[in-house]
């Protein structure tokens, strides 16, 4: 059986997906194709590159690993910054205006981390990430990391996670790209087209369930947080160790409960 996995976006909420991974491991579920947006792209990279214990350690120390103090970042962002970010997500055509703003963080540790992980990214047949092409009418762009050279693969993954204002836009080919969540927070399309027999989708926000109301020849099993994972400040930007652990535990418990209920079907 070919099984696909889709990992939605949501910043710090993404710790939930690492808990889900732990449950998948316990039920010996192996994936052939993975697709992720934003933090889902990072978690997909972890899944294709390292073992679960290593990924848990990275998330438990994520502020140190990526060089971001999330509490300071939340405070340092101005009201105008927040307004620009929210406007970009509500109206993606606005993001062209945000490219000159640059970045609020030093991205060097994140780039280095992605670069290192790509050295061992070899577990799946295909690994897709979704980014948003910056243009008058922005659109989702799916990159298959398996078919890219390392440098462009690194750029594609970084672009998928690049929230405007907080990160720089990433130039690939002839276009700038920003966070995939601006155009497609649940990148299921390339997985549907990959001849899978079953697709799991790990969402980080209940509202994203609407994005699964599509015609699919493949059964789709959504995994949805049983508790709210927070808003932009308390969820997306929150990388505090205690909250990371809470989200991982919830992801594990929710996924284990679901898998236990359908174990005779998979």
């Amino acid at each position: 059986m070919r099984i696909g996995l889709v990992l939605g976006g949501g910043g710090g909420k993404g710790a939930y997906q690492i808990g889900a991974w732990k449950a998948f491991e316990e039920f010996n579920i192996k994936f052939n194709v993975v697709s992720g947006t934003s933090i889902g792209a990072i978690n997909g990279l972890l899944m294709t590159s390292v073992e679960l214990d290593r990924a848990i350690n990275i998330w438990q120390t994520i502020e140190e690993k990526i060089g971001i103090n999330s509490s300071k970042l939340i405070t340092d962002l101005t009201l105008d910054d927040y307004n620009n970010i929210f406007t970009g997500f509500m109206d993606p055509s606005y993001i062209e205006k945000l490219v000159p703003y640059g970045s609020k963080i030093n991205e060097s540790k994140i780039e280095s981390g992605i670069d290192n992980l790509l050295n061992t990214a070899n577990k799946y047949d295909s690994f897709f990430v979704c980014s948003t092409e910056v243009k008058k009418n922005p659109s989702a762009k799916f990159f298959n990391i398996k078919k890219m050279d390392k440098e462009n693969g690194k750029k594609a993954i970084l672009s998928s996670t690049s929230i405007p204002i907080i990160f720089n836009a990433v130039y690939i080919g002839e276009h700038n790209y920003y966070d995939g969540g601006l155009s497609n927070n649940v990148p299921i399309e390339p997985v549907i087209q990959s001849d899978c027999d079953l697709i799991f989708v790990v969402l980080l926000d209940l509202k994203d369930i609407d994005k699964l109301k599509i015609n699919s020849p493949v059964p789709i099993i959504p995994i949805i947080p049983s508790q709210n994972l927070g808003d932009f400040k308390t969820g997306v930007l929150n990388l505090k160790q205690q909250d990371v652990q809470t989200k991982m535990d919830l992801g594990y418990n929710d996924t284990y409960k679901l898998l236990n209920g359908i174990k005779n079907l998979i």
Side-chain angles (χ1 to χ4, degrees), residues 70 74-75 77 82 86 230-239:
S70 57
I74 290 168
T75 302
L77 289 170
Y82 283 112
F86 294 147
D231 58 22
F232 191 71
K233 289 184 179 180
T234 63
V236 173
L237 297 184
N238 181 6
L239 301 174

Side-chain angles (χ1 to χ4, degrees), residues 34-86:
V34 173
S35 179
T37 285
S38 197
I39 196 62
I42 295 295
N43 285 336
L45 177 61
L46 289 171
M47 292 182 72
T48 191
S49 302
V50 300
E51 298 303 317
L52 174 62
D53 288 349
R54 175 64 177 147
I56 290 173
N57 174 264
I58 288 171
W59 264 97
Q60 288 174 334
T61 56
I62 193 165
E63 289 191 311
E64 176 187 346
K65 290 288 191 300
I66 66 176
I68 294 177
N69 181 319
S70 57
S71 296
K72 185 175 186 301
L73 175 61
I74 290 168
T75 302
D76 287 350
L77 289 170
T78 66
L79 181 58
D80 282 345
D81 290 334
Y82 283 112
N83 286 337
N84 279 322
I85 293 168
F86 294 147

Side-chain angles (χ1 to χ4, degrees), residues 1-249:
M1 176 182 284
R2 281 178 59 82
I3 303 178
L5 176 66
V6 179
L7 300 170
K13 300 179 187 182
Y16 180 91
Q17 293 170 340
I18 302 301
W21 179 11
K22 180 181 178 182
F24 287 132
E25 290 265 304
E26 291 187 8
F27 281 85
N28 198 33
I29 294 174
K30 306 298 182 184
F31 299 103
N32 302 93
V33 181
V34 173
S35 179
T37 285
S38 197
I39 196 62
I42 295 295
N43 285 336
L45 177 61
L46 289 171
M47 292 182 72
T48 191
S49 302
V50 300
E51 298 303 317
L52 174 62
D53 288 349
R54 175 64 177 147
I56 290 173
N57 174 264
I58 288 171
W59 264 97
Q60 288 174 334
T61 56
I62 193 165
E63 289 191 311
E64 176 187 346
K65 290 288 191 300
I66 66 176
I68 294 177
N69 181 319
S70 57
S71 296
K72 185 175 186 301
L73 175 61
I74 290 168
T75 302
D76 287 350
L77 289 170
T78 66
L79 181 58
D80 282 345
D81 290 334
Y82 283 112
N83 286 337
N84 279 322
I85 293 168
F86 294 147
T87 300
F89 276 92
M90 294 298 293
D91 177 15
S93 66
Y94 184 73
I95 62 176
E96 270 191 313
K97 300 177 182 178
L98 302 182
V99 174
Y101 281 69
S103 171
K104 290 286 183 179
I105 63 171
N106 184 333
E107 301 172 29
S108 60
K109 281 194 172 183
I110 298 174
E111 288 191 39
S112 175
I114 292 172
D115 190 74
N116 288 335
L117 288 168
L118 281 170
N119 289 327
T120 54
N122 53 22
K123 287 185 187 174
Y124 307 123
D125 298 343
S126 296
F127 169 39
F128 298 94
V129 303
C130 176
S131 303
T132 300
E133 186 177 327
V134 179
K135 54 185 179 179
K136 185 175 182 180
N137 295 303
S139 60
K141 170 73 172 180
F142 299 108
F143 296 100
N144 188 347
I145 303 303
K146 290 285 192 175
K147 295 184 177 180
M148 304 177 76
D149 62 67
K150 185 180 178 184
E151 183 62 24
N152 281 312
K154 179 176 71 174
K155 289 181 179 179
I157 295 167
L158 182 62
S159 71
S160 183
T161 70
S162 292
I163 298 173
I165 300 294
I166 297 176
F167 288 82
N168 287 304
V170 180
Y171 196 73
I172 306 172
E174 299 179 351
H175 300 281
N176 279 310
Y177 292 88
Y178 267 136
D179 193 288
L182 292 155
S183 56
N184 189 332
N185 209 39
V186 186
I188 194 170
E189 291 84 355
V191 183
I192 290 176
Q193 297 168 11
S194 296
D195 297 321
C196 291
D197 301 296
L198 181 65
I199 300 173
F200 286 95
V201 181
V202 186
L203 303 175
L204 300 177
D205 197 314
L206 181 58
K207 71 177 186 297
D208 283 338
I209 193 69
D210 289 341
K211 297 184 172 64
L212 299 182
K213 295 178 180 178
I214 58 177
N215 291 323
S216 170
V218 185
I220 298 171
I221 300 177
I223 297 171
I224 305 165
S226 58
Q227 299 175 26
N228 190 307
L229 298 179
D231 58 22
F232 191 71
K233 289 184 179 180
T234 63
V236 173
L237 297 184
N238 181 6
L239 301 174
K240 295 177 184 175
Q241 186 176 38
Q242 180 178 347
D243 295 321
V244 162
Q245 188 62 53
T246 298
K247 293 166 194 170
M248 281 198 288
D249 291 343

